[in-house]
């Protein structure tokens, strides 16, 4: 065996041994192979979120809302979760809340209303996991977000994998 071949073999063997000795951290990214999700339906009063394919409920989740859960979000810092029709518009794999899926709040009507009041409508509304902050607050405080929709970290992994950009998110009072 030549020195180059021996060196390559030794480096390969060491890399293999190093990988075998280290426990692998489970990935937070899952694959989704079910029916395509065509809508997310959120009922704030029931604290339930449903993923739908057509008119069929594929999966349902208990949710937490903004710390002021009654009423439609109007302004930055009001602690309310929006109501109305929005869309999935982004994905954040590095969320402080495990994973998060962005919702297109504020829409044109939300921006116009806030402007008419001389206020900022706010933004950064997500469906997200609990992360460390939420795990520390829930279940002591049911609604704890700044206006987002929260599920468990395990559940956001399923949701994150199942959704695509542009899926409508309908939020009912």
């Amino acid at each position: 065996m030549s020195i180059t071949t021996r060196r390559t073999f030794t480096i390969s063997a060491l890399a293999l041994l190093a990988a075998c000795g280290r426990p692998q951290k489970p990935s937070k990214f899952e694959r989704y192979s079910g029916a395509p999700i065509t809508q997310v339906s959120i009922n704030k009063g029931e604290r339930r979120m449903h993923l739908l394919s057509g008119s069929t409920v594929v999966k349902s989740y208990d949710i937490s809302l903004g710390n002021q859960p009654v009423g439609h979000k109007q302004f930055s810092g009001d602690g309310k979760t929006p109501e109305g029709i929005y869309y999935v518009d982004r994905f954040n794999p590095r969320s402080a809340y495990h994973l998060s899926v962005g919702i297109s709040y504020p829409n044109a009507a939300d921006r116009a209303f806030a402007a008419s009041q001389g206020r900022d409508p706010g933004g950064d509304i997500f469906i997200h996991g609990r992360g460390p902050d939420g795990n520390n607050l829930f279940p002591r405080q049911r609604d704890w977000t700044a206006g987002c929709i929260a599920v468990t970290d395990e559940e956001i992994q399923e949701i994150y994998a199942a959704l695509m950009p542009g899926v409508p998110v309908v939020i009912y009072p």
Side-chain angles (χ1 to χ4, degrees):
M1 219 190 299
S2 73
I3 290 184
T4 304
T5 305
R6 202 174 314 149
R7 185 175 300 145
T8 302
F9 175 77
T10 303
I11 291 170
S12 297
L14 287 172
L16 182 63
L17 286 172
C20 291
R22 202 173 329 145
Q24 295 295 316
K25 182 178 177 184
S27 175
K28 63 183 177 180
F29 301 103
E30 296 184 6
R31 290 193 186 275
Y32 178 75
S33 59
I37 302 303
T38 58
Q39 181 179 315
V40 177
S41 175
I42 297 169
N43 187 309
K44 290 172 52 175
E46 294 177 2
R47 304 297 191 280
R48 293 289 286 169
M49 178 171 64
H50 308 284
L51 302 185
L52 294 99
S53 182
S55 60
T56 303
V57 174
V58 174
K59 190 84 185 223
S60 296
Y61 304 91
D62 289 324
I63 59 172
S64 295
L65 300 170
N67 57 33
Q68 299 297 319
V70 176
H72 173 59
K73 181 167 193 62
Q74 296 178 313
F75 309 117
S76 178
D78 66 9
K80 295 182 179 184
T81 301
E83 296 169 0
I85 300 173
Y86 299 94
Y87 298 90
V88 171
D89 67 352
R90 62 202 181 280
F91 293 82
N92 183 359
R94 293 181 187 87
S95 172
Y97 299 98
H98 194 61
L99 291 170
S100 59
V101 176
I103 296 173
S104 62
Y105 176 87
N107 61 26
D110 298 320
R111 284 190 295 277
F113 177 77
S116 76
Q117 304 298 306
R119 307 274 305 269
D120 176 357
D124 284 337
I125 300 298
F126 288 86
I127 300 168
H128 60 66
R130 288 188 189 144
D133 291 347
N135 284 330
N136 291 334
L137 290 172
F138 187 87
R140 210 170 7 116
Q141 187 174 338
R142 172 79 191 218
D143 296 316
W144 56 270
T145 77
C148 296
I149 297 97
V151 294
T152 68
D153 290 350
E154 294 77 21
E155 291 168 338
I156 192 59
Q157 289 178 196
E158 296 172 358
I159 295 162
Y160 191 95
L163 293 179
M164 300 294 290
V167 169
V169 179
V170 182
I171 307 172
Y172 299 96

